[in-house]
Amino acid sequence: MKLTRAEFHVLLALQHGSRHGYGVMQDVETLSQGRLRLGPGTLYTAIKRLAASGLIVECEPDAERRRCYRLTRKGRALATDEARELSDLVQVARKRGLLPSPS
Amino acid sequence: MTPEGVYAALLTLYPRAFRETYGDDMLRTFREWHGTSRLPSVRFWRVAITDLMSSIWREQIDACRFGVRRFALRWLAICALGIIGTGLIATLVTWVFAYLYHPYLEGLQLTPWSYGAFLGAGLGLAQSAALRHRLQTAVSWVAVTSASAAFGFHLAALAATVIGPVGCGIAMGAVVGACQWTMVAASQRVQRRRWPMMASALSLPIAVILCDALIRRALGGMNPVPANIQATATPASYSSAIVTLVRGLQQPHGWTDFAFELAAMSLAGLTIGTITARRLSEARGAH
């Protein structure tokens, strides 16, 4: 399964434990340093697709009865693969001089 | 209207299944997002609406590719193509009859209801082929479709001068769709074993009578328009709309007749599909 940018960010946000929808939105904004702002529409479209593929599952609602989601083993493995692929891409970009080499 | 009310109204643009699963969560997330956002109001709404529209578009496409809506679209296509296909076969058969003309056959006529029965039988066969895994009563289905199309077409013919060829298609479609809808609804209520017996008992004699009438009258394909209608038909003026439609079905004089036939038949098929799609998609699990 090929992940979209929003879906990868949702998986990243859930890497450190379960979150409800708004928590994921906030985390994604923080992780991307404000460059990616997910609205509820994009967020729940991503959640639906990730849940249907078995990459995330719904977990116990929080104290305010908000529906929460957590990463599955399959989701974690796919997120790791995706991160590795992006990391390889960054290496190539460095070799080609698109990015400065880390000092 | 409150921001939440506006957002809730926009959520209705999502497919129902998605809305039922995530609608409440989305509204709650929006409430929290709106309450804490530091964006200026206009910019906030621009972001929110852009986000919603791109997501709605994706979900609507998804709903058409999978699930109930996919079934509904396929069903509409089957209904429209089934009835158009039968109409075209009728035209072809009539041309063949005209080619093999014999004076003995002159004067034989095909009444509007027998056209309807023929169209209904073709449509019913196309539909039952598509529903073969879900329909346990294919014979009854074809018989009911044929009988209702005969009645619907005859009824439409009576009002043809008022409603026109396209109206005829819609009227026939409405009658057939209503009968099929009733059949599916009844089969869900009545025990499975009893319903096919009842339906067969009622519909088969009707079908036999229709077939008998068709066999005796069908050879009049080369002179298909009833005399009273024929008398009012002139190429220059389509004073009787049913003449245009019947001629379109049987012996199109030109592209106008042919276009009317296609429009009427496709509208009949779409009307039937629209009436029956939901009931049949719900019935899938039952069979």
Side-chain angles (χ1 to χ4, degrees):
Chain A
M1 179 191 169
K2 193 71 199 153
L3 293 173
T4 63
R5 192 176 173 214
E7 287 163 0
F8 180 59
H9 275 83
V10 172
L11 292 183
L12 273 183
L14 296 175
Q15 169 65 18
H16 284 301
S18 63
R19 296 266 188 290
H20 52 74
Y22 185 59
V24 174
M25 263 174 76
Q26 285 178 313
D27 255 21
V28 168
E29 195 171 342
T30 311
L31 287 170
S32 66
Q33 296 166 332
R35 278 193 286 264
L36 180 65
R37 281 201 187 102
L38 293 184
T42 313
L43 173 70
Y44 281 95
T45 297
I47 285 177
K48 181 194 134 189
R49 190 158 174 258
L50 293 171
S53 309
L55 303 177
I56 62 172
V57 283
E58 209 180 304
C59 50
E60 287 295 304
D62 65 5
E64 291 173 54
R65 310 289 305 155
R66 288 183 293 196
R67 213 184 320 198
C68 291
Y69 300 91
R70 70 173 168 77
L71 213 53
T72 62
R73 194 175 291 176
K74 189 181 167 190
R76 185 166 289 116
L78 192 71
T80 308
D81 286 348
E82 188 78 14
R84 206 166 279 145
E85 223 172 272
L86 289 172
S87 168
D88 290 347
L89 211 59
V90 170
Q91 301 272 3
V92 173
R94 282 209 174 104
K95 278 183 192 160
R96 298 280 165 109
L98 275 177
L99 291 171
S101 297
S103 48
Chain B
M1 201 180 217
T2 60
E4 219 176 300
V6 173
Y7 200 79
L10 289 170
L11 286 181
T12 57
L13 297 174
Y14 277 100
R16 194 204 293 183
F18 183 88
R19 207 169 58 232
E20 282 175 0
T21 314
Y22 298 107
D24 289 344
D25 286 353
M26 285 178 76
L27 198 57
R28 179 178 257 202
T29 306
F30 170 80
R31 194 185 307 136
E32 290 174 310
W33 182 37
H34 184 253
T36 55
S37 175
R38 274 176 259 158
L39 293 173
S41 183
V42 174
R43 191 155 169 227
F44 174 84
W45 276 106
R46 189 166 55 82
V47 172
I49 288 173
T50 310
D51 166 70
L52 264 187
M53 289 305 149
S54 67
S55 160
I56 286 166
W57 179 78
R58 252 179 260 155
E59 287 306 322
Q60 291 289 0
I61 298 270
D62 250 25
C64 294
R65 287 173 60 204
F66 313 103
V68 172
R69 200 173 293 178
R70 185 182 180 209
F71 171 79
L73 285 175
R74 284 178 62 188
W75 182 244
L76 281 174
I78 287 161
C79 291
L81 292 177
I83 205 161
I84 287 173
T86 316
L88 292 178
I89 290 168
T91 308
L92 191 69
V93 168
T94 310
W95 273 338
V96 172
F97 269 125
Y99 185 75
L100 301 171
Y101 175 77
H102 190 283
Y104 172 72
L105 303 170
E106 198 168 356
L108 290 174
Q109 291 169 359
L110 210 57
T111 53
W113 65 264
S114 53
Y115 294 128
F118 178 74
L119 288 170
L123 172 69
L125 282 169
Q127 288 177 327
S128 55
L131 294 173
R132 62 191 179 281
H133 299 305
R134 297 162 205 151
L135 211 66
Q136 293 181 345
T137 56
V139 175
S140 306
W141 182 265
V142 176
V144 164
T145 308
S146 183
S148 59
F151 177 66
F153 200 87
H154 206 87
L155 202 69
L158 294 175
T161 44
V162 181
I163 59 180
V166 169
C168 282
I170 294 173
M172 188 182 83
V175 173
V176 176
C179 288
Q180 289 187 342
W181 188 93
T182 311
M183 183 180 174
V184 180
S187 70
Q188 283 172 325
R189 270 186 234 115
V190 182
Q191 279 181 1
R192 275 192 210 172
R193 282 185 188 176
R194 282 168 54 199
W195 167 244
M197 285 169 62
M198 281 168 56
S200 303
L202 285 170
S203 56
L204 278 177
I206 299 171
V208 168
I209 292 165
L210 285 175
C211 285
D212 180 54
L214 273 172
I215 289 164
R216 281 192 284 111
R217 287 174 174 269
L219 295 177
M222 71 290 294
N223 187 15
V225 184
N228 59 332
I229 294 175
Q230 213 172 29
T232 61
T234 57
S237 134
Y238 292 144
S239 56
S240 174
I242 193 65
V243 171
T244 315
L245 177 59
V246 167
R247 212 166 51 200
L249 286 168
Q250 294 283 317
Q251 286 177 310
H253 285 184
W255 288 108
T256 314
D257 293 354
F258 196 63
F260 268 125
E261 181 214 345
L262 285 185
M265 291 303 101
S266 56
L267 277 171
L270 291 173
T271 308
I272 295 163
T274 307
I275 294 170
T276 51
R278 176 174 285 188
R279 177 62 75 179
L280 279 167
S281 70
E282 285 166 359
R284 276 197 302 174
H287 291 290

